[in-house]
Structure formats: structure tokens, C-alpha cells
């Protein structure tokens, strides 16, 4: 019995020693804003844009008169003008499709399997470029509103611009938090290219429309 006790008390051989299993790395926390993930913020804000542009698309396709909650506003004048169509497509319909894609991608980023075959990097880059396109188009239309419709107020135009800029800043904040300022230069160049393309496309569309009207 004593011999067995001494044998058991001996330190184990190197073959008998077991290497401890590595501790699992903590999961990467998603980007958040005021305690809510940026993907949830993006989905919620884009959902508001989807509702607004869906309503405006219904008005445009049915020829109904827009309800303007601001007294003396010119919502109908703006929505029925030549600037409410881009390359023959109603502008609210383009916005509705864009906001719908942003909502679906945001839900996919938040864990929903809506669009298979897209990885996380593809979703983030696509959301950033779509938000850049929406913000550029909103800035362009605010310029049109202030130069071509002087004295006219359009609550739908202003709310759409607010939604677009909010989406842009949410995605930009997410990019800065996950990638950092030092590695963001290549994304800035891509954003500038997309913004220039959107501005040139809108300018070309409305210049062609003006030429046809003069003819």
C-alpha cells in the first residue's frame, strides 16, 4: 500500500501531461450607437425611407394629389415637376427600391438570412456605397429645391434628405469604428467616385429633359 502511495505521488511523465485547451476568444462586438447596433439603426432608418418613398411612389403612379401638412407648402409642385423623374423613371420609385435594398442588407447584417451568398464585408461595402449615393442625391436635390423652387417648401423632400444623411453618418460611424481612420483612405476614394457618378448622372438626366422641353 505504501509503494502504491509513493507511485501515485510521483509527478506525471511528459507523455501523461495534458496541454490545457486554449481559451475561446471573446466574440467580436458589433458596432453600436447609443447601445443599439448600427445594423439595427440602418434597418430602422431605411424602413422609414421605404415607407415615405412607397407613399410618394403611389401618388406618382396613380396621379393622386400629395397631402402637404405645411400650410402654404408646394409639395405637389415639386412632386409633379420635371425633376421628379430620372431617365423616365419616377424618382420616388428609385428611392423606394434603394431603401428596400438597404433595409434587406441591414437585416442580413443583423443576422437574418435574407440574401444568401453575401459575406459581411460585401454587405458593409454595399451599404456604405448605397448610403453615399442617397446622401449625394439628397444634396443635389436640396440644391435644386433652393435654386429652382425658391420660396417653395416640400416637407417630403426635407424628410427624405434627413433620412439619407442619417443613413450616411450611421454607416460612416460604423466604418470608422471597425476599420479606423488610418485605413479608411481607400474607402474615401471609392465614396468620392460614387458621389461623382451619381451627380453626373442626375445632371445628364435633367439637362436632357431641359433640351427636350426647349425643343
Amino acid at each position: 500500500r505504501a509503494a502504491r502511495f509513493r507511485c501515485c505521488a510521483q509527478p506525471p511523465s511528459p507523455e501523461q501531461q495534458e496541454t490545457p485547451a486554449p481559451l475561446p476568444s471573446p466574440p467580436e462586438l458589433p458596432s453600436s450607437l447609443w447601445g443599439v447596433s448600427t445594423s439595427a439603426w440602418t434597418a430602422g432608418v431605411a424602413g422609414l425611407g421605404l415607407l415615405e418613398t412607397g407613399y410618394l411612389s403611389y401618388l406618382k403612379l396613380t396621379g393622386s394629389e400629395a397631402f402637404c401638412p405645411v400650410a402654404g407648402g408646394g409639395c405637389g409642385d415639386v412632386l409633379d415637376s420635371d425633376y421628379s423623374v430620372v431617365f423616365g423613371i419616377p424618382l420616388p420609385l428609385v428611392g423606394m427600391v434603394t431603401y428596400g435594398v438597404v433595409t434587406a442588407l441591414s437585416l442580413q447584417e443583423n443576422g437574418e438570412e435574407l440574401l444568401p451568398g453575401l459575406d459581411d464585408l460585401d454587405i458593409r461595402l454595399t451599404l456604405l456605397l448605397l448610403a453615399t449615393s442617397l446622401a449625394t442625391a439628397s444634396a443635389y436635390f436640396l440644391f435644386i429645391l433652393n435654386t429652382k423652387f425658391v420660396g417653395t417648401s416640400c416637407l417630403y423632400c426635407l424628410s427624405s434628405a434627413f433620412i439619407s444623411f442619417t443613413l450616411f453618418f450611421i454607416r460612416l460611424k460604423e466604418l470608422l469604428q471597425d476599420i479606423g481612420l488610418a485605413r479608411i483612405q481607400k474607402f474615401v476614394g471609392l465614396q468620392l467616385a460614387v458621389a461623382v457618378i451619381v451627380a453626373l448622372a442626375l445632371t445628364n438626366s435633367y439637362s436632357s429633359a431641359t433640351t427636350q422641353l426647349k425643343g
Side-chain angles (χ1 to χ4, degrees), residues 14-63:
E15 291 79 7
Q16 294 175 342
Q17 291 181 350
E18 295 182 359
T19 56
L23 295 177
S25 58
E28 184 181 355
L29 296 177
S31 303
S32 61
L33 184 63
W34 294 317
V36 181
S37 63
T38 53
S39 57
W41 275 107
T42 305
V45 176
L48 293 177
L50 181 62
L51 292 176
E52 184 199 24
T53 51
Y55 171 69
L56 297 179
S57 298
Y58 168 78
L59 296 179
K60 190 68 177 177
L61 296 177
T62 59

Side-chain angles (χ1 to χ4, degrees), residues 9-137:
Q10 291 179 356
S13 61
E15 291 79 7
Q16 294 175 342
Q17 291 181 350
E18 295 182 359
T19 56
L23 295 177
S25 58
E28 184 181 355
L29 296 177
S31 303
S32 61
L33 184 63
W34 294 317
V36 181
S37 63
T38 53
S39 57
W41 275 107
T42 305
V45 176
L48 293 177
L50 181 62
L51 292 176
E52 184 199 24
T53 51
Y55 171 69
L56 297 179
S57 298
Y58 168 78
L59 296 179
K60 190 68 177 177
L61 296 177
T62 59
S64 304
E65 185 177 356
F67 169 72
C68 192
V70 181
C75 301
D77 297 336
V78 178
L79 297 175
D80 295 333
S81 65
D82 296 331
Y83 294 96
S84 63
V85 178
V86 179
F87 295 109
I89 304 175
L91 185 62
L93 187 60
V94 177
M96 184 180 68
V97 173
T98 307
Y99 282 123
V101 174
V102 172
T103 304
L105 290 175
S106 303
L107 294 175
Q108 176 88 4
E109 187 183 29
N110 203 32
E112 302 290 338
E113 292 295 335
L114 300 177
L115 302 172
L118 293 176
D119 57 15
D120 188 61
L121 182 59
D122 293 336
I123 294 175
R124 291 184 180 185
L125 183 58
T126 305
L127 285 174
L128 179 65
L129 296 183
L130 288 176
T132 303
S133 302
L134 288 170
T136 303

